[in-house]
Amino acid sequence: MAGTLLARHAEAVEFFGRRVHAVRDDQWDDPTPCTEWSVRDLVNHLTGEQLWVVPLVRDGLRIEDVGDRFDGDVLGDDPVAVWDRAAAGAVEAFREDGALGRTVHLSYGDTPAEDYCRQMVDDAVIHAWDLSRAIGADERLPAALVDIATRDIAPQAAGLSRSGLFAPPVAPPADADPQTKLLALVGRAA
């Protein structure tokens, strides 16, 4: 099971990264389905998440130990290169021997690293669709990523919207495919 999760994490990060590499210079300020975020804001969010993995998972630090190191714009003048470094570091940290068996200290409490990795997969999958839509790329998500994200998100969709992290679920069409059903769980209309 851990091997499958690690494979899905690497796949989700790589898939999102392909979209980052496809962003044209004139698209960084374009809007995304995340109404508060531009393309740059969205990529900054995911890059910041990847940057957190190394200190939390590999180093065992707490959020207060890291402080504000990853606040604000982490992308600098070369967003693609910063994404690539952050993504590689996150994948490597989760793949270390015993990493998924550790406990990470998140803002809402101690969490098994395996659950944290699942959250990272889910966020990368959903935001890969957001980024794809924003830049006019192919919006189809890999089936294995849709499956894992749906299994993780479905039981907690209502709670996610109450947390403010995602929009409220929307009703998918009766004949919706698995990807459309996943997007509906997090308030996106495909």
Side-chain angles (χ1 to χ4, degrees), residues 89-159:
V91 169
E92 183 180 306
F94 275 125
R95 286 186 179 265
E96 285 182 0
D97 285 342
L100 291 183
R102 297 175 188 152
T103 298
V104 292
H105 312 287
L106 302 177
S107 60
Y108 53 85
D110 289 352
T111 303
E114 183 174 343
D115 292 349
Y116 179 48
C117 186
R118 287 182 182 287
Q119 294 167 21
M120 298 294 283
V121 170
D122 300 342
D123 213 33
V125 170
I126 298 302
H127 288 316
W129 180 84
D130 293 331
L131 185 55
S132 297
R133 175 151 288 189
I135 66 171
D138 183 354
E139 296 176 11
R140 286 174 295 173
L141 299 168
L145 294 179
V146 169
D147 290 346
I148 194 171
T150 301
R151 279 195 309 269
D152 293 342
I153 292 172
Q156 57 182 337

Side-chain angles (χ1 to χ4, degrees), residues 52 54-57 59-70 103-107 110:
W52 275 102
V54 171
L56 295 177
V57 174
D59 302 337
L61 298 178
R62 297 178 178 276
I63 290 187
E64 56 269 16
D65 299 329
V66 178
D68 62 0
R69 186 179 342 164
F70 305 126
T103 298
V104 292
H105 312 287
L106 302 177
S107 60
D110 289 352

Side-chain angles (χ1 to χ4, degrees), residues 2-182:
T4 301
L5 177 58
L6 292 173
R8 293 296 81 80
H9 176 260
E11 182 182 3
V13 168
E14 191 272 333
F15 186 78
F16 186 85
R18 285 200 314 266
R19 296 305 183 262
V20 172
H21 280 262
V23 176
R24 295 186 322 259
D25 289 342
D26 65 341
Q27 291 181 309
W28 288 100
D29 292 325
D30 287 357
T32 70
C34 304
T35 57
E36 304 291 317
W37 287 344
S38 67
V39 167
R40 184 178 177 92
D41 295 332
L42 178 61
V43 173
N44 187 69
H45 166 69
L46 260 288
T47 302
E49 283 193 343
Q50 305 316 305
L51 290 170
W52 275 102
V53 174
V54 171
L56 295 177
V57 174
R58 188 193 68 203
D59 302 337
L61 298 178
R62 297 178 178 276
I63 290 187
E64 56 269 16
D65 299 329
V66 178
D68 62 0
R69 186 179 342 164
F70 305 126
D71 289 356
D73 184 342
V74 297
L75 297 177
D77 294 334
D78 194 349
V80 175
V82 174
W83 161 262
D84 287 344
R85 285 191 302 273
V91 169
E92 183 180 306
F94 275 125
R95 286 186 179 265
E96 285 182 0
D97 285 342
L100 291 183
R102 297 175 188 152
T103 298
V104 292
H105 312 287
L106 302 177
S107 60
Y108 53 85
D110 289 352
T111 303
E114 183 174 343
D115 292 349
Y116 179 48
C117 186
R118 287 182 182 287
Q119 294 167 21
M120 298 294 283
V121 170
D122 300 342
D123 213 33
V125 170
I126 298 302
H127 288 316
W129 180 84
D130 293 331
L131 185 55
S132 297
R133 175 151 288 189
I135 66 171
D138 183 354
E139 296 176 11
R140 286 174 295 173
L141 299 168
L145 294 179
V146 169
D147 290 346
I148 194 171
T150 301
R151 279 195 309 269
D152 293 342
I153 292 172
Q156 57 182 337
L160 289 174
S161 67
R162 283 193 303 272
S163 73
L165 297 175
F166 291 99
V170 296
D175 62 346
D177 63 18
Q179 177 174 315
T180 302
K181 290 176 182 176
L182 169 64

